[in-house]
Amino acid sequence: MSVDFDKALQLALAAAEHATNAGWPATIVRDLMGRCRLVLDDRHNRIDFPEGLRMELTRMLAELGNFCPSPSPVLLASQLLDQGSLIDDESMAVHAISSGSSVGLLERSVTGQDWRSASNKTDQIEKIVFYSLKGGVGRSTAAAFLARDLSERGHCVLLIDLDLESPGLGPMLLDNDTYPKYGIVDVLAEAAVGNDVANDAVTRCLKLGGTGNGETWVAPAAGSPRDGYTYLPKLERAYAVLPSTTGDLPQSFADRLQAVINSLSKAVETLSRRPSVILIDSRAGMHDIAGVALTHLADLGLLFASDTELTWWGYGELFDQWTERPSVARKVRERLQVVASMVDGADPGAYLRLFTDNAASTFERLYDESGPGDTDSFSPSRDDLFAPHSPIPIYFDSDLRHLTAARLERALSSHKQRGQYTEFVEGVRRLMGEQS
Amino acid sequence: MPSYHSAANRHLRDANQLFGAASFDGASHLAGLSGECAIKSVLCGPGGVFVNQNGRPNIGTESQKTFFGHFPDLWAQAGIFLSGRNINSIPGIHILQGVTNPFLGWQVSDRYEADGTVLKSQATTHVQAAVDLGQVVENAFLIGINLA
């Protein structure tokens, strides 16, 4: 059996550990094909890199078989034009080694890296991201019910559809004659060349208008259907990294999304008033485009889940990559909240107890290990009702499946169906620090 | 068969030495060649451009005889040509889609001109641009892209 993808990393870690213990701190750079190259930090060493060690490391890396890069499986940082960025990158995973030190692993993948770094935490919850591993779990409907509730309480809510591959909010909430001219794909496409069309990408949604001072604005993924209007050519370009407009760092997808949200928020402010809450319906799945909404946009990330092995395996994979990057895990974990979506069955209480157990087992990798009197650590207990793993439930209602715009309007006014969402909207309001 | 990647590094090293010796005409000339080689190493690697029998990067088929040549045109030509996820995964590659072409005014024929034709400020721009392109190629190499 030849060395496979996972085994190759183990062998590379052994080589990196050997180099680090010999006084040459190593970073593994795993390339697009999964091949592992060692970059050794020689910037502070006063002696020349020993040729014997290079040969030894080269021999160790040769054991990776087809996962050994060629040429130059071992590089010195001083040989590189950019000596610092490989070694000081927040997206680098940290692997502990036996000497008590650590080696870094930098992933060079086809997807973006924004889901492996995180924006700083904020005190105020303004942006709430609706995320799930799979579609069809009721994210968009929950967003609509929450928007309705918040607007009834006087909030100015902006609801943004970032599920660009399978847009749902627009068709569900807007009639053809209320669609704005442009959608999110247009805002991204136009912004890439310096145009701002955000004022024509938001529309007031009277269905979610509420009463009194409250209002809801919707930014759909696509613009109003019309002759000559295209969607896919813009979607194909939506995730591009673009040159900087100010001469410094390029605009990552996370930067571009943040700019889009700021421009949409400003548009609503121009047309009415500044949104107090922004609800973002994210793309589903284990993908950087979906993950970036949690790591860079969310003040609160609602993780929709059902109690299945697939759910906990998927969230476990997502959390593991943050756990390997401790500074990212620290920033992200307190902004997460699991939502038990479509809770069904004769005994919802029993279902939620099991759900909580599985959620706690999955989330605990993000928590600190704490001892008695350790007050600075983040380590909520399993039965802590306010922990990220403690689910906010939404109860299943077959009438809420496959909602059309007309049926949604009826559901939003239905006492019974609003009841399915009572705990959810109250739970989110609590997280926002609002009184019931 | 050209080795654009290796040539890009060599020309850049020599350009830096000439710049350090205040030989700005030579530094500018080699910086331009280094930048051209850097771009061609990507074009003829993941870009899918083939090197024809005369050693020139050729788009399409041999008979079409459409070549990538020299700066300043090469900058925009490459920016227009490069596409796809692997290409776009190279950190920094988007500089080719930027609004400024740092090699505007650079001519390969300047090697025939009198000493002092290239000003220090022009050489500075050209050497820095070659360093930036060298960085892009280094990034491509490290992410595992086979360069020409």
Side-chain angles (χ1 to χ4, degrees), chain A residues 94 109 137 139 171 246 261 264 266 322 418 422:
Chain A
V94 179
S109 54
V137 294
R139 284 190 334 256
T246 54
I261 287 165
L264 293 169
K266 198 175 276 183
W322 294 334
R418 293 190 75 171
T422 302

Side-chain angles (χ1 to χ4, degrees), chain A residues 141-322:
Chain A
T141 313
F145 272 89
L146 181 61
R148 165 85 177 222
D149 179 88
L150 293 172
S151 67
E152 281 180 348
R153 288 166 195 276
H155 278 283
C156 177
V157 182
L158 169 59
L159 195 47
I160 299 175
D161 193 352
L162 274 191
D163 194 0
L164 302 182
E165 276 75 16
S166 49
L169 280 181
M172 190 171 78
L173 296 173
L174 303 174
D175 305 316
N176 272 357
D177 56 344
T178 58
Y179 255 85
K181 183 178 180 185
Y182 295 118
I184 300 296
V185 289
D186 299 284
V187 181
L188 283 164
E190 298 296 330
V193 294
N195 294 339
D196 182 357
V197 296
N199 279 0
D200 292 316
V202 290
T203 189
R204 189 162 177 185
C205 179
L206 297 176
K207 284 176 196 162
L208 302 178
T211 52
N213 290 332
E215 55 194 291
T216 297
W217 292 77
V218 175
S224 62
R226 55 191 184 275
D227 282 347
Y229 180 78
T230 59
Y231 188 81
L232 274 178
K234 298 161 197 161
L235 181 59
E236 284 184 298
R237 292 165 172 80
Y239 306 133
V241 173
L242 296 177
S244 163
T245 50
T246 54
D248 48 14
L249 292 172
Q251 306 168 61
S252 69
F253 183 59
D255 299 331
R256 298 186 63 203
L257 275 185
Q258 191 63 62
V260 164
I261 287 165
N262 290 345
S263 66
L264 293 169
S265 175
K266 198 175 276 183
V268 172
E269 188 173 1
T270 305
L271 297 165
S272 176
R273 62 185 162 120
R274 183 184 153 82
S276 48
V277 187
I278 300 173
L279 307 181
I280 299 166
D281 195 5
S282 156
R283 177 178 168 169
M286 283 191 283
H287 195 277
D288 66 315
I289 300 302
V292 71
L294 291 174
T295 54
H296 283 269
L297 301 183
D299 302 317
L300 170 63
L302 299 173
L303 308 184
F304 280 62
S306 51
D307 187 26
T308 63
E309 284 180 13
L310 171 71
T311 298
W312 304 123
W313 169 76
Y315 278 124
E317 283 285 314
L318 192 59
F319 295 171
D320 277 344
Q321 67 160 347
W322 294 334

Side-chain angles (χ1 to χ4, degrees), chain B:
Chain B
M1 194 68 176
S3 176
Y4 293 117
H5 182 195
S6 171
N9 287 339
R10 182 178 70 253
H11 292 318
L12 179 58
R13 187 185 62 226
D14 294 348
N16 271 321
Q17 290 195 359
L18 288 176
F19 189 87
S23 182
F24 301 123
D25 299 276
S28 162
H29 179 64
L30 288 177
L33 295 184
S34 172
E36 289 182 356
C37 289
I39 288 177
K40 288 174 183 177
S41 74
V42 176
L43 285 172
C44 300
V49 174
F50 78 97
V51 181
N52 69 18
Q53 290 174 344
N54 299 322
R56 300 176 73 180
N58 203 139
I59 307 172
T61 62
E62 183 93 40
S63 62
Q64 283 175 295
K65 298 198 185 311
T66 309
F67 309 115
F68 285 105
H70 292 293
F71 285 144
D73 295 347
L74 176 65
W75 184 274
Q77 287 166 355
I80 291 165
F81 186 79
L82 296 172
S83 170
R85 294 198 89 175
N86 267 13
I87 295 285
N88 280 301
S89 66
I90 302 173
I93 192 73
H94 52 268
I95 62 171
L96 291 170
Q97 272 112 25
V99 287
T100 39
N101 176 354
F103 291 103
L104 211 61
W106 184 95
Q107 292 294 331
V108 72
S109 58
D110 279 352
R111 65 191 187 277
Y112 302 122
E113 298 297 327
D115 198 14
T117 300
V118 178
L119 303 174
K120 180 181 180 183
S121 60
Q122 293 170 307
T124 304
T125 303
H126 297 153
V127 171
Q128 183 56 51
V131 169
D132 292 343
L133 285 170
Q135 182 62 59
V136 171
V137 169
E138 185 176 287
N139 293 340
F141 172 73
L142 285 170
I143 65 175
I145 285 178
N146 289 326
L147 297 162

Side-chain angles (χ1 to χ4, degrees), chain A residues 384-397:
Chain A
D384 181 345
L385 292 176
F386 302 111
H389 64 257
S390 184
I392 302 179
I394 295 173
Y395 296 96
F396 179 73
D397 185 334

